[in-house]
Amino acid sequence: CRQAVTSHADAIDCIPVQYRTAELWRLAIEKDGYWIKKIPPEMITEELCHIAVGSYGKALKYVPEQFRTRELFFAAVKQDGEALRFVNTAKLTGKEYSSICSLAFERDEK
């Protein structure tokens, strides 16, 4: 199972639920952050959220509220400027919001 998920993150869908360990979920998320969407809530950690947005910024959409931090917002937007739409602006100061907007537009111009 480990080798299959390491090669193709979507292989985790072929593994029976009872065998989907935290390690397998981590491998899937390292391969493609999108998989944070499907991980059972009790297995989500702050570290997995950072890994997810590091490879797929828009995974921020699926990150539980308790893990949504300023640092995570910036990491997501740095990876994909379009992740800006999933940022909870209430958690940012005016200066931070300006910075993250600049980062998003800078990122999208590349």
Side-chain angles (χ1 to χ4, degrees), residues 85-100:
R85 65 183 155 161
F86 305 116
V87 171
N88 180 348
T89 57
K91 291 188 173 185
L92 300 175
T93 65
K95 186 175 180 178
E96 288 169 334
Y97 181 70
S98 292
S99 293
I100 206 166

Side-chain angles (χ1 to χ4, degrees), residues 1-16 19-31:
C1 293
R2 189 178 199 285
Q3 187 176 0
V5 175
T6 300
S7 298
H8 303 281
D10 59 343
I12 199 156
D13 263 348
C14 301
I15 299 169
Y19 299 115
R20 295 180 191 175
T21 63
E23 178 192 8
L24 290 176
W25 279 113
R26 181 187 177 93
L27 291 170
I29 291 167
E30 285 175 347
K31 190 84 174 158

Side-chain angles (χ1 to χ4, degrees), residues 33-34 36-37 49 52-53 56-92 97 100-101 104 108:
Y34 167 82
I36 195 84
K37 175 182 180 179
C49 294
V53 302
Y56 179 61
K58 288 181 259 187
L60 181 60
K61 176 180 181 179
Y62 308 111
V63 172
E65 191 59 39
Q66 72 263 29
F67 299 117
R68 296 171 138 254
T69 63
R70 291 177 181 97
E71 295 77 22
L72 192 70
F73 297 152
F74 277 90
V77 172
K78 183 177 180 182
Q79 199 286 322
D80 185 338
E82 290 185 26
L84 181 62
R85 65 183 155 161
F86 305 116
V87 171
N88 180 348
T89 57
K91 291 188 173 185
L92 300 175
Y97 181 70
I100 206 166
C101 284
D108 282 345

